[in-house]
Amino acid sequence: MSDQCQDTLRSDSSDLRQTMSIHTRKITDSCRDKDCIEDLRVYLTCGSQQLLDTAANVRVRSAELIHTYIDVEPVAFDRNHYCIDITFYYRVLADAVVGSCRPTTLYGLAVFSKRAVLCGEDSRAHIFRSDTRLGSPDGHTICAANRPTAVVEVLDPMVLGSKIRDVGECASDTVTAQIPQGICAVFDEELVLSGGQRRLFVTLGQFSIVRLERDAQLVIPVLDYSIPTKECCDAAGGCCTEDPCEMFSRIPFPSKQFSPDHCDERRDDSSQCS
């Protein structure tokens, strides 16, 4: 039986260029986006909401992306395309000035949702793995076993602006975000979804890349197995106990730093070198 399991290098052993079968993810479609998210409400914690109601001034300091929820559903009228619903959860930090005291930090949650439609190719094969657990929160289900995998790469957003409004001026007071329990657990206080006297809104700028991937089996040319050549090191910078003179010998000689700059190249034609 052992002779039936052949090595993955499937060509002449004397040939340097061989072929190998690998399992990877093929990118079927991708897109990039530059979102300017205007007037995004910040759901503050209880203590932060009390500060906002009495603050003379508030300045938003930063916004941090803490989680991204991704859902993939097939498009009804085109079996090759899939709808990707993405929800971003941000942790927003701000400084509030109350009276003549020093600024106090307040923080809360902002939620932004968007949608993208990409080509995911049609596949009738149901894909299951040995670690699949049906019924678990991250387990595959039978209806989704042949769908592509959505991947979202996103940078922390830039804070472009902020504003404070009274509750009566907010047109979105009747709309309350549905926040998962796991997101609420990130904050040490309960989030205020309704009530209070004032609301904090931010405008964020965000860069993101969305792509769909499918499992694929490929045959690729290889030269050899990949074996690391760098030694493990527990020192900062990866220098370990290397000889300092040996390290210095690999630094190129800074010839340009010994050459004087020509002042004619940096001055106007009317100026002269003394």
Side-chain angles (χ1 to χ4, degrees):
M1 294 295 293
S2 60
D3 57 350
Q4 296 181 5
C5 295
Q6 300 178 357
D7 193 273
T8 53
L9 293 174
R10 307 180 309 160
S11 61
D12 187 3
S13 59
S14 62
D15 187 7
L16 291 179
R17 296 190 61 84
Q18 307 181 62
T19 58
M20 174 180 290
S21 298
I22 66 169
H23 176 269
T24 186
R25 291 186 180 273
K26 170 189 174 183
I27 299 177
T28 61
D29 199 3
S30 62
C31 65
R32 65 180 186 182
D33 218 342
K34 181 179 178 181
D35 295 303
C36 182
I37 314 166
E38 293 185 281
D39 295 341
L40 191 64
R41 180 184 169 184
V42 180
Y43 298 94
L44 299 173
T45 61
C46 295
S48 298
Q49 182 64 50
Q50 295 176 1
L51 289 173
L52 178 65
D53 291 339
T54 58
N57 186 28
V58 174
R59 183 183 65 88
V60 176
R61 187 194 314 170
S62 63
E64 176 191 5
L65 181 66
I66 58 177
H67 184 64
T68 301
Y69 173 77
I70 308 171
D71 183 50
V72 180
E73 294 292 338
V75 177
F77 54 85
D78 191 344
R79 64 188 308 171
N80 289 327
H81 288 75
Y82 291 82
C83 183
I84 308 166
D85 291 310
I86 311 168
T87 303
F88 302 97
Y89 298 93
Y90 311 100
R91 186 174 185 264
V92 180
L93 296 178
D95 294 324
V97 178
V98 181
S100 59
C101 301
R102 298 180 59 183
T104 305
T105 301
L106 57 82
Y107 60 98
L109 175 72
V111 183
F112 170 63
S113 298
K114 63 178 295 182
R115 172 173 291 184
V117 178
L118 295 176
C119 178
E121 298 183 353
D122 185 24
S123 176
R124 298 180 180 275
H126 295 279
I127 303 173
F128 296 93
R129 298 178 176 87
S130 59
D131 57 354
T132 299
R133 297 292 182 268
L134 295 181
S136 61
D138 57 348
H140 292 270
T141 59
I142 296 177
C143 61
N146 64 342
R147 293 180 186 174
T149 301
V151 178
V152 178
E153 298 183 23
V154 57
L155 302 178
D156 281 334
M158 297 181 294
V159 178
L160 304 179
S162 63
K163 63 179 64 175
I164 299 175
R165 295 177 180 174
D166 293 334
V167 173
E169 301 175 359
C170 304
S172 59
D173 280 344
T174 58
V175 180
T176 303
Q178 299 296 327
I179 303 175
Q181 186 62 34
I183 299 297
C184 295
V186 176
F187 301 88
D188 54 2
E189 289 185 317
E190 185 179 354
L191 296 174
V192 178
L193 304 182
S194 61
Q197 302 175 10
R198 308 167 83 181
R199 299 279 187 266
L200 175 62
F201 295 87
V202 294
T203 298
L204 305 179
Q206 178 177 265
F207 297 94
S208 61
I209 295 177
V210 185
R211 66 177 181 266
L212 284 181
E213 299 176 348
R214 276 198 181 277
D215 291 349
Q217 294 77 38
L218 303 178
V219 177
I220 62 171
V222 295
L223 297 179
D224 200 352
Y225 288 101
S226 177
I227 304 297
T229 58
K230 177 182 176 180
E231 295 184 359
C232 297
C233 177
D234 58 357
C239 296
C240 294
T241 58
E242 184 179 10
D243 184 8
C245 293
E246 175 66 22
M247 180 182 62
F248 179 74
S249 65
R250 295 198 299 269
I251 301 177
F253 192 85
S255 303
K256 292 185 178 181
Q257 298 186 22
F258 286 88
S259 302
D261 295 333
H262 298 285
C263 57
D264 292 339
E265 298 177 356
R266 298 187 177 183
R267 297 174 179 263
D268 297 333
D269 295 337
S270 59
S271 62
Q272 297 179 357
C273 296
S274 59

